[in-house]
Structures are given as C-alpha cells and as structure tokens.
C-alpha cells in the first residue's frame, strides 16, 4: 500500500493546481503565457488545453482566478497604488484592471478599497 495510483480526480486537481501555481510565478515575473506554462509542464499548448478541458477548465479561467485572488491580496496593502497592482497582475492598463475587478467584485477597485478595507 506504499504507492497507490492516483485517482483520476486527484490527478485532475493536481494539474489545475500546478497550472495555477505556475501562473502565480509568471505573474510575479511580469508576463503570463500559456506556451511557457505548457513547456514547464513538458507538454504542448494543445495538450495542456485538452487536459484542462477534460477538467471543465480553461487556461483563461485559471488565469482569471489567480488574478482575482492576487488582486484581493494586493488590495489589502493600501499603500500600493492601483496602477502597480494592475501591472503586477499583468494588465496592460489600469482601466483593464478596473473593468476586470468590477466584474469580479461588483465594485471598482478604488471603491472596494475605501469601503471594504477601511
């Protein structure tokens, strides 16, 4: 019983967790790319998309989930400008971050910060 084979649901969870972790690492470095993540997992972009699709996920959905989680964490530091948060999350402009944040949280980032984190 030392090494029991992974159940399909465990290996699926494992892939999405590994992809999310690689996305977080890439965000810290500045830019996220599906090609880079696939390469780090030793698979093609197509294979990565296919395996994620089998889990009912997409790379874009995982990227958005990681960005949302990181955004909430970054917003707690009131000394960090919104422009810097947007940049750290890989958004090209503050307006793109603001639209995404409003979609995620139902309120613009500045309002969220002032109302919910006071």
């Amino acid at each position: 019983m030392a090494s029991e084979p992974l159940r399909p649901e465990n290996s699926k969870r494992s892939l999405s967790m590994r992809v999310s972790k690689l996305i977080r690492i890439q965000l810290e470095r500045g830019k996220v790319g599906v090609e880079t993540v696939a390469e780090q997992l030793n698979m093609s972009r197509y294979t990565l998309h296919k395996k994620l699709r089998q889990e009912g996920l997409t790379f874009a959905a995982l990227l958005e989930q990681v960005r949302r989680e990181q955004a909430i964490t970054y917003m707690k530091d009131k000394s960090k400008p919104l422009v810097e948060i947007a940049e750290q999350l890989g958004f090209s402009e503050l307006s793109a971050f603001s639209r995404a944040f409003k979609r995620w949280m139902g309120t613009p980032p500045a309002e969220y910060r002032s109302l919910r984190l006071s």
Side-chain angles (χ1 to χ4, degrees), residues 16-116:
S16 59
M17 286 171 52
R18 288 185 299 168
V19 170
S20 293
K21 182 178 180 179
L22 291 170
I23 289 171
R24 272 187 212 88
I25 291 168
Q26 283 191 20
L27 278 175
E28 290 171 9
R29 294 180 182 159
K31 194 153 187 156
V32 178
V34 65
E35 295 86 5
T36 306
V37 171
E39 186 178 297
Q40 290 174 329
L41 293 169
N42 297 315
M43 60 180 73
S44 71
R45 177 183 178 162
Y46 174 79
T47 302
L48 176 60
H49 281 298
K50 182 180 171 187
K51 288 185 177 198
L52 287 174
R53 194 170 41 248
Q54 289 171 349
E55 293 184 47
L57 295 168
T58 64
F59 184 83
L62 287 174
L63 174 59
E64 185 158 333
Q65 176 185 339
V66 170
R67 280 179 163 170
R68 182 177 56 244
E69 291 167 359
Q70 292 296 102
I72 292 166
T73 300
Y74 294 156
M75 291 290 283
K76 291 176 183 173
D77 179 359
K78 288 191 170 195
S79 68
K80 188 178 284 206
L82 294 178
V83 173
E84 185 179 324
I85 293 172
E87 191 176 282
Q88 287 181 310
L89 295 175
F91 288 95
S92 56
E93 298 178 358
L94 177 58
S95 60
F97 168 65
S98 294
R99 283 190 303 275
F101 193 89
K102 187 172 182 180
R103 186 175 67 246
W104 301 330
M105 305 306 291
T107 184
E111 187 178 319
Y112 176 89
R113 187 178 254 178
S114 66
L115 293 177
R116 303 218 177 142

